[in-house]
Structures are given as C-alpha cells and as structure tokens.
Amino acid sequence: MLTSFISDYTRYVLKGGTKFYAWMGSLAVLIVGMMYVFYLQNTEGLIVTGMTSQIHDGLYFANLVFLVGVAAGAVTIVFPAYVYHHEGMHKVTVLGEMLAISAVIMVTMFVFAHMGRPDRLWHMIPIIGIYNFPHSMLGWDVMVLTGYLILNAICGFYYLYVKYTGGKINKWFFMPLVYISIVWALSIHTVTAFLIATMPARPMWFHGMMPIRFIATAFAAGPALIIIAFLIVRKNTKMWIEDSAINLLSTIVTWCLGIAIFLTMSEVVVELYARTEHANGLYYLMFGLHGLTKLAPWFWSSVILMVASFVLFLIPAIRTNYKLLPILCTMAFAGIWIEKGMGLIVPGFIPTPIGEVTEYYPTLVEWLMTLGIWAFGFFILTILLKGAIGILQGEIKYGGQSAAAK
Amino acid sequence: MLSMSSLMGTAALMVQSGDAKAAVEWAEHFQKNYRLMTAEEKAEARARLERRYSAEYGKQVSVDTTEAQPGVLMGYALNIRKCIGCRRCVKACVEENNQSRGNKPGERIEWIQVLRMERGEFSKDKMNHGYPEGLGIQVGGNAYTPAGAVLEGQYHYEPEAVPEKDATYMPIACMHCEKPPCVKVCPVRTTYRDPDGVVVIDYNWCIGCRMCMGACPYWARRINVANPVLPKEAMNPVTHYLGNRPRMRGVVEKCHWCLQRSRHSRYPACVEVCPVGARKFGNLLDPESEVSLILARKNVFRLKAELNTFPKFFYFYD
Ligand code: SF4
Ligand code: SF4
C-alpha cells in the first residue's frame, strides 16, 4: 500500500497544465543558478560573498533566521484547528504542515550556504562527529529544527496516508504528536533567538526580549505567507478554503504585527534614550554611524511596510477584501523579512567589539544563492501542496484509477 | 542530514580530484577531532601534514605536536604606558604565524590590532556648549570631543613617526579567556582550552560556522574567506599542529601565543620583537615569573571585565 501511495502521489504531482510547468521550470532555472554559485563558493571560498571578518554573518544567516520563523508560523493553523476545533482550519492543517516542512528544508540549505566548510558538516552529527551538547546554542537549534521537521513530516504524511487509504486516524498515536508539534514550533524560534541573544559581545542582541520579538514576527510572517498560498490554492485548484480560515489567519497577522511593532518601539526607546555605547548598533541601523548609512533605508522601509500594513489590516473592509489582502500580506511579509534579516543580523556587527565601523554589501553570488534557495523551497512547497490537495480532494485514492481520470 | 553531508563531502572531494594533494586531503577529511586522536593517529596526522607541506612549500616543514607542559599556565601582560604604536608586533606575528597576506580585502589577516586612541582635550570656549537656551536641551559642554580612550579606533593608520603626539595605543588580540565564550558556543568543539590555558583551534575540524567570532568580545578571531595567500619563500617552516601551520579556506584562526615557541620555553614573536619591552609573557603558576611579579606589584586591569570572561591577558602601567 505504501508503494502505491508513493507512486500515485508522484504520478499525480507530475501531471499539470502549462502554467504548472512554466512555474516549475522557472524555479528550476533559479535552482541551477544556485548550484553554480554554491560550487563557486566552495572552490573560491566565502570571498565571493560580501562577508568579512568584521561582518561575518550576512544574507544567508538573515534568511535562515527569518525562515525559522516562517516554519514556526505554521502553528497558527495547527493550533486553532486542534485546540479550538476551528472547522475551516481543520480541513487545511495539513497544508500548514507542508509549509513548515518546506521552510525547514530551506533553513537547512541556508545552513549549508552559510558554512565556511559545508563539506565538514558531518562533524555535527552525534557519535561520528562531536556534538557540543548542551553548551552550543547552534547545536540546540539543529536539534529542535530536525525534530520539528520529523514531527511535521510524520503528522502531515500520516494524515495524508490515512486519507489515501480511507482508513481511520489512530488518535492515540496522532494527537500527542500534534500537541508536541505545537509546543515544538515555539521552541524552534525561541532557540534561534537565543542563538544570537546569548552573546554579550554583541550588545544590540543581548536582551531577553529577543525570543518574544521573534515569536511575534514569526506569527505575522508565517500566516501572511499562508494566506497568500491559500488564496492561490483557492483560485487555481478544486480545493475550496473557507473564508473563516483566512479571516482567522489575517486576525492573527494583525495582532502579532501590532505586538512586534510595539516591542520594536520599546527597544528603540530604551536604547536611544540612554544612548550608551550599546546603542551604537541600533543607532547605526536607524541613522547611520560615522557617515555610513547603508542600512538606514532598509530599516525605514521595513518600518513603513510594517506600520502601514498593520494600519490597513486593522480596517475590516480591507482585511476581508480578498483582492487587497495579498497585497497587505506581501507588505507585512517583506517588512518582516527586512527587519529579521538585514535589520537585525547585520547591525549586530556594527560597530565591531573593538569599535570598527564597516559595512556589508551582499554580492551577486549571495543574491543568486538566496533566490535559488527560495526557489527550491517553493519548488518543494508546490509539490507537497499539490499532492496534499489531491489527496484531500479524493483525487488520489487507494485503487482509485477512476477517480484520477475524472 | 547524514546522507546530505556525506554527499557534499564526496562532491567537494570530486571537485579537487585532479589535484596531487587529493589523497592527503581525503585522509584529512575523515580524520578525528585532534583531541580524540590516539598517540599513533596524532603521529600519522603529523607525518602526513609534514609531507604535504614540505612538498607544497618546497622546504622541510616540521609540524610539532608537543602537548601542554604540566604545571604551566601561560599568561601575558602588556605595559600600556610603553606601547608606541609601531605595530612591529603585528608584522612579526604575521611572519611567524603564516598568516594570509594577499592584496584583496579578506586575503589579509592580522591577529593583533593596535588601536589608536585620541588623547583629546577640554577647551575653555566649550564651557557652556549645549547649555539650555530658549527651548534648547542640555547636552553637556565638551562632551563631543574625545578626551582619553574612545573605543572607536582605526588600526590601519600609517603615521610617519611614532608615537604620535596626540595618541595613545591599545594593542589587542586573543586574550585566552579562562571562561572563553568562543569555546562555549562552538557546536563541534573545534576550539577548546588546552591545559596550559591556551585557547586553540583544530583547523581540520572547524566547520566555519563563525559562532565563535560572534561570541568573542575582543574581536580576536578571523575567518579565512579565501584560500590563504602564503608565498613559499615567506612561509615559516617551524609549525605546531594547533598553532601556525598553514590554514585552509573556510576556517577560523586566531592568536595562540606562538605554541610552536612557547611550548619550548621561548617567547612569542610579538614579545621578542617589541622595541620598548611593553610585552611580557610567562607562567602564571610560577610566583617568580615576570608576569606573576607584574600581577603582584603593578597596577593591572583587564579589558571588558564586566563580561566575566577572565582574560589571561593583563594590561598594566607603572
Ligand atoms: S579573546 Fe575571544 S577568541 Fe580569545 S579566548 Fe577570549 S573569547 Fe575566545
Ligand atoms: S567557526 Fe569553527 S571554531 Fe568557530 S564555532 Fe564554528 S566550528 Fe567552532
């Protein structure tokens, strides 16, 4: 039965219209580009990127941090579905799990892109390598991310498999895993926040508000992406996603965005009022330092995007207008991407602990790599969603050739 | 993860398969963390490296594997009053320790930084600068000109003569912290504190994640973004496995107090070269050593003491 599940699934996913092939084809082009720059980076070294000994974490690390949030954001579907028994959500939980899976895969790819020696990553595997447990936060991060990937893969595919065979879900096995995965989702972004917040050498990151800020932005960016995905699904497939589900998600985005803005504002006030040496990173981000202002436009664009989308989200007429909603979601998503990425990681290194002020420019290689990894993520996501929808709609069924022919 | 990383490993090896070094690199690729090697494995690794480096640099290269000596805890002291900012220590360090010296940014690595700080002054005409006038807000007199140490230094200064009249200098490098944050964050225990107190890096085990660079409050670590540029004739053939042996791309490196010298009772290169004798080095456990005497008798301070990293690098003045 399992083999027929796999083959039916694959056969279904491979079929599609021109639109589908055009989409997948253009993603494939970007993926090839990524493979080329990855090769370049592993023969020339990180010198092909803009990273230096001063600013040694850049675009890759920023995307990594952001995508952990997107992965965690999937819980905004799972939680209402299973804890509040929200009907509309319940039908689509599995789509959220698929999103989480693709996001974690992208995170893993960014890890590879980020490392100076990706060929040695096996050093981190327990037993054959060494794992600096429990001291290393990166170790914790890898652990919780792997766990999250496994949990979501089990929950998602078990559910689909049961649907496929037409059996009944074994609640004793399934429900505990669902509840664990809900709590686990919080852990991945919390640990990622700890990863950078536990470094007193970088005063800009060294505060306890980091985890909650991370969670707030994650629960805005994740569902924003999900809403867009849902609207696309609704338009292009036979699967109907209920308004109630989308409305609940946009409510979540609204309030998490609000909290994120509030937390950012608190930080700005506390840091800039005293304006100690520790505020230099933030000051650089907002206004520039020593005449270097490269990041200031990024910061302000992020502020504008986040605040504007928040205000628009607050207006019910706009929030429930599904023509405008994708635009709002894109704004929020982009705003948070900037805030988590260039706006948080890079200024942490400016000035360096000895006071040097330098800037960081992502190179073409970095952009290509980043684009390629995102493309790969969407590639996987499309496959996962397509298959999942096919099963949910009953188009793939055990022994169901007739159903597929319809 | 397992299959993925081994795949990457194979891919990386295939890329280099045309190379003569490939066989050695294959062996290096699968060797253990240095600390976990048995004595034989260490000897093997050493012989392998000596052969490879000798061929590569066209001279007899030795790779020392001397362990920490019992009863020794290395310590460093620097007389902040004496330093004249000539940066001869930087130059000596680069030559002794086989640092990369290319021209492109990122290909040039220096472990020691000599920070230059303005002396600054208070001036009479700024007495009431920023004093409330009208709706003005008080910001405070002379505050915007540096007076004394400011840690927003530039270290690539090229003065005609040193010391400059209005500058003081603050050399800085790895402090060999007793509670090193860099060691704590390393996910694979590549970097660790050896029993004689020196914080070392196993270059063959580092995955280049750069967590340690983020955690170091003294900006002591450098990442080899490119293949290090080390001219054959300038290469120092007396090396230590955990010290100055040539590094590879993608790994982190930093000062190790010249293990190839100090484990054989010699001074680090920077101590030897300092023209004013500002740098002192010795065994902290020996009460008669120069550093111990300085700790006992001089005015001593540590940098960023509030971070509780407990450096074994002390600044002092008479
Ligand atoms: S100075 Fe930095 S690199 Fe050196 S031991 Fe301390 S934390 Fe580690
Ligand atoms: S860069 Fe190397 S030494 Fe530093 S934390 Fe990562 S693996 Fe450890």
Side-chain angles (χ1 to χ4, degrees):
Chain A
M1 229 140 81
L2 195 61
T3 42
S4 73
F5 173 68
I6 295 168
S7 71
D8 281 358
Y9 192 100
T10 323
R11 233 175 307 136
Y12 181 80
V13 167
L14 286 181
K15 263 190 309 194
T18 22
K19 218 167 159 191
F20 174 73
Y21 286 124
W23 165 244
M24 295 306 252
S26 41
L27 290 181
V29 171
L30 290 176
I31 295 170
V32 171
M34 168 196 75
M35 273 146 67
Y36 173 68
V37 288
F38 189 75
Y39 165 80
L40 210 62
Q41 214 176 284
N42 282 292
T43 43
E44 301 286 304
L46 290 171
I47 196 157
V48 294
T49 72
M51 287 183 270
T52 55
S53 279
Q54 281 87 2
I55 302 175
H56 45 76
D57 296 347
L59 206 55
Y60 302 152
F61 197 73
N63 275 287
L64 186 158
V65 167
F66 175 74
L67 279 164
V68 172
V70 173
V75 83
T76 52
I77 300 187
V78 182
F79 187 77
Y82 286 99
V83 179
Y84 284 116
H85 303 289
H86 187 284
E87 258 318 297
M89 286 291 197
H90 205 107
K91 279 204 261 167
V92 292
T93 9
V94 86
L95 303 189
E97 279 156 354
M98 297 297 135
L99 176 85
I101 293 173
S102 357
V104 177
I105 290 175
M106 285 158 85
V107 169
T108 318
M109 296 181 74
F110 274 114
V111 170
F112 274 96
H114 176 72
M115 293 295 154
R117 299 296 305 213
D119 53 327
R120 293 184 186 163
L121 268 177
W122 63 272
H123 291 179
M124 272 189 93
I125 301 168
I127 301 166
I128 59 166
I130 307 183
Y131 205 51
N132 188 7
F133 188 80
H135 295 292
S136 161
M137 276 298 159
L138 192 61
W140 277 91
D141 211 27
V142 169
M143 195 176 72
V144 290
L145 277 167
T146 320
Y148 191 64
L149 182 63
I150 293 171
L151 274 173
N152 273 290
I154 293 179
C155 287
F157 283 104
Y158 173 70
Y159 185 84
L160 288 180
Y161 182 68
V162 169
K163 281 260 152 181
Y164 170 76
T165 55
K168 247 181 107 64
I169 285 181
N170 179 352
K171 285 229 156 86
W172 291 108
F173 160 76
F174 187 63
M175 290 318 287
L177 283 185
V178 168
Y179 290 125
I180 293 174
S181 80
I182 289 173
V183 182
W184 204 287
L186 292 182
S187 83
I188 60 170
H189 218 24
T190 307
V191 174
T192 309
F194 286 153
L195 189 68
I196 68 167
T198 48
M199 292 180 181
R202 310 284 167 184
M204 186 180 158
W205 298 338
F206 185 52
H207 56 79
M209 205 208 269
M210 202 62 95
I212 183 67
R213 245 185 86 185
F214 267 52
I215 298 283
T217 49
F219 287 3
L225 184 64
I226 295 172
I227 292 176
I228 298 176
F230 277 5
L231 290 173
I232 293 174
V233 164
R234 229 159 83 142
K235 218 172 136 211
N236 292 302
T237 71
K238 283 177 227 143
M239 175 124 178
W240 184 252
I241 289 157
E242 312 231 340
D243 286 1
S244 71
I246 293 175
N247 288 346
L248 179 61
L249 282 178
S250 55
T251 316
I252 295 174
V253 176
T254 315
W255 293 116
C256 288
L257 208 52
I259 294 170
I261 293 169
F262 175 76
L263 292 175
T264 307
M265 196 193 71
S266 310
E267 199 181 319
V268 168
V269 172
V270 172
E271 289 281 308
L272 289 200
Y273 185 82
R275 185 69 176 90
T276 63
E277 205 194 344
H278 289 178
N280 280 350
L282 188 66
Y283 196 84
Y284 165 75
L285 177 61
M286 297 181 74
F287 310 110
L289 211 57
H290 290 256
L292 300 178
T293 54
K294 178 85 185 316
L295 275 189
W298 284 85
F299 173 80
W300 292 109
S301 63
S302 151
V303 167
I304 291 168
L305 285 169
M306 280 169 75
V307 172
S309 60
F310 176 61
V311 172
L312 294 174
F313 261 117
L314 280 177
I315 305 166
I318 300 183
R319 192 170 63 225
T320 50
N321 179 337
Y322 294 159
K323 289 243 154 46
L324 293 177
L325 192 58
I327 302 174
L328 296 196
C329 288
T330 312
M331 281 167 69
F333 192 78
I336 293 167
W337 181 77
I338 296 170
E339 194 243 27
K340 276 275 101 37
M342 299 300 269
L344 180 74
I345 301 303
V346 177
F349 298 102
I350 307 169
T352 65
I354 59 166
E356 200 187 351
V357 184
T358 47
E359 287 197 311
Y360 160 76
Y361 304 84
T363 57
L364 185 65
V365 166
E366 278 171 288
W367 286 115
L368 282 179
M369 179 84 88
T370 306
L371 259 177
I373 294 177
W374 276 92
F376 188 81
F378 279 116
F379 197 88
I380 300 262
L381 183 66
T382 314
I383 290 176
L384 291 180
L385 284 186
K386 189 158 186 251
I389 290 168
I391 288 175
L392 290 183
Q393 291 297 94
E395 291 189 4
I396 323 176
K397 223 191 254 145
Y398 183 52
Q401 282 306 322
S402 54
K406 255 197 283 180
Chain B
M1 285 293 276
L2 171 66
S3 57
M4 221 164 159
S5 63
S6 47
L7 228 116
M8 307 291 319
T10 327
L13 283 164
M14 268 154 62
V15 163
Q16 296 162 342
S17 61
D19 246 272
K21 305 182 294 187
V24 179
E25 286 189 350
W26 176 272
E28 277 179 35
H29 195 81
F30 293 104
Q31 85 187 24
K32 277 197 248 167
N33 181 306
Y34 186 66
R35 247 180 319 173
L36 298 183
M37 287 186 197
T38 59
E40 293 101 72
E41 282 170 327
K42 277 187 186 171
E44 239 173 67
R46 170 189 184 166
R48 196 161 58 214
L49 284 175
E50 283 182 344
R51 246 179 295 129
R52 167 144 92 88
Y53 291 148
S54 299
E56 217 172 306
Y57 294 98
K59 51 178 123 180
Q60 192 53 46
V61 177
S62 66
V63 180
D64 185 11
T65 50
T66 309
E67 311 266 325
Q69 304 302 304
V72 175
L73 183 65
M74 296 189 194
Y76 208 122
L78 191 145
N79 191 336
I80 194 90
R81 271 251 170 104
K82 282 200 171 153
C83 176
I84 53 167
C86 65
R87 292 205 295 169
R88 261 178 244 185
C89 48
V90 181
K91 199 158 171 282
C93 178
V94 169
E95 279 163 13
E96 170 73 26
N97 291 307
N98 292 324
Q99 270 120 300
S100 170
R101 48 203 90 162
N103 295 324
K104 277 191 241 155
E107 278 181 349
R108 184 167 147 202
I109 287 180
E110 288 170 356
W111 292 345
I112 304 177
Q113 253 66 58
V114 183
L115 306 182
R116 177 189 185 279
M117 294 177 293
E118 300 279 310
R119 273 189 210 281
E121 54 174 353
F122 284 94
S123 70
K124 242 194 218 149
D125 38 298
K126 287 190 183 163
M127 288 283 281
N128 293 322
H129 205 262
Y131 192 80
E133 293 159 12
L135 282 177
I137 297 160
Q138 181 162 15
V139 288
N142 282 286
Y144 290 125
T145 41
V150 276
L151 264 186
E152 285 184 12
Q154 287 289 321
Y155 48 83
H156 291 301
Y157 53 94
E158 305 277 348
E160 265 164 30
V162 286
E164 293 159 278
K165 203 174 102 272
D166 50 357
T168 55
Y169 303 95
M170 168 82 102
I172 187 171
C174 176
M175 306 262 155
H176 298 275
C177 309
E178 278 293 273
K179 246 182 72 186
C182 56
V183 168
K184 193 169 188 173
V185 299
C186 178
V188 288
R189 304 195 199 204
T190 302
T191 179
Y192 57 95
R193 178 191 176 279
D194 244 8
D196 55 3
V198 179
V199 175
V200 293
I201 303 171
D202 178 355
Y203 309 118
N204 272 86
W205 193 256
C206 173
I207 57 174
C209 68
R210 319 197 270 293
M211 289 301 295
C212 54
M213 300 178 75
C216 172
Y218 305 100
W219 197 61
R221 292 178 167 249
R222 305 287 179 274
I223 171 92
N224 279 289
V225 287
N227 292 309
V229 182
L230 181 56
K232 275 186 188 165
E233 60 292 351
M235 190 253 177
N236 174 12
V238 183
T239 74
H240 192 285
Y241 188 95
L242 297 168
N244 60 338
R245 71 183 168 103
R247 274 79 62 185
M248 58 295 273
R249 130 178 73 80
V251 304
V252 164
E253 62 180 61
K254 67 166 185 66
C255 158
H256 46 80
W257 280 347
C258 289
L259 283 186
Q260 68 281 3
R261 291 162 154 257
S262 55
R263 288 215 172 139
H264 298 284
S265 307
R266 288 181 66 199
Y267 280 137
C270 51
V271 175
E272 221 169 73
V273 80
C274 180
V276 291
R279 292 171 172 264
K280 308 289 178 195
F281 183 78
N283 184 359
L284 291 168
L285 299 181
D286 170 9
E288 290 308 311
S289 75
E290 219 175 347
V291 268
S292 298
L293 291 175
I294 287 166
L295 289 191
R297 296 182 187 160
K298 303 284 184 180
N299 302 310
V300 174
F301 67 94
R302 283 163 152 166
L303 273 196
K304 302 201 186 185
E306 76 276 13
L307 297 183
N308 271 8
T309 53
F310 301 102
K312 284 191 295 298
F313 191 108
F314 301 92
Y315 295 88
F316 72 101
Y317 49 98
D318 302 301

